[in-house]
Amino acid sequence: MIRKATSAIARPGHLLEVRRSDGSCVLVDVKPYLRYGIFRDLEDELVFSKVRIDAAGGAEWPNGASLSPELLAADEPAAARVPATKRQR
């Protein structure tokens, strides 16, 4: 089964909590991207909070910034696993 992002919640500190189709949840640190082009708009927490998951499983914002489905599905430094008991609510 290929896992895919199914929902995303913007968390304080420019963290993106992503729930995936296999039931896992990851926190993606978006801060490293904020210095580049269109991602600069996401420094504003209100803009950052308007994230949604697109049909392909990527994260996107109304200003056109996006993170790929592959990034959200991977376990890599930008997407660290968060145990279900430690997720922010």
Side-chain angles (χ1 to χ4, degrees):
M1 174 180 174
I2 298 174
R3 66 180 166 198
K4 179 175 155 180
T6 58
S7 67
I9 300 170
R11 297 293 185 194
H14 292 93
L15 296 174
L16 195 60
E17 181 179 318
V18 179
R19 172 129 345 247
R20 301 184 296 194
S21 58
D22 66 356
S24 65
C25 184
V26 293
L27 277 182
V28 178
D29 185 2
V30 180
K31 287 186 294 296
Y33 301 98
L34 298 179
R35 64 187 120 169
Y36 301 107
I38 200 164
F39 284 96
R40 288 184 180 130
D41 293 345
L42 303 183
E43 289 178 338
D44 181 329
E45 293 275 350
L46 182 61
V47 175
F48 183 69
S49 72
K50 298 189 184 290
V51 65
R52 72 174 203 89
I53 298 298
D54 64 23
E60 66 179 10
W61 287 267
N63 73 336
S66 63
L67 297 175
S68 72
E70 295 80 13
L71 178 96
L72 300 183
D75 286 322
E76 54 186 50
R81 277 195 179 279
V82 178
T85 57
K86 303 231 181 206
R87 281 196 315 268
Q88 299 176 21
R89 298 233 183 262

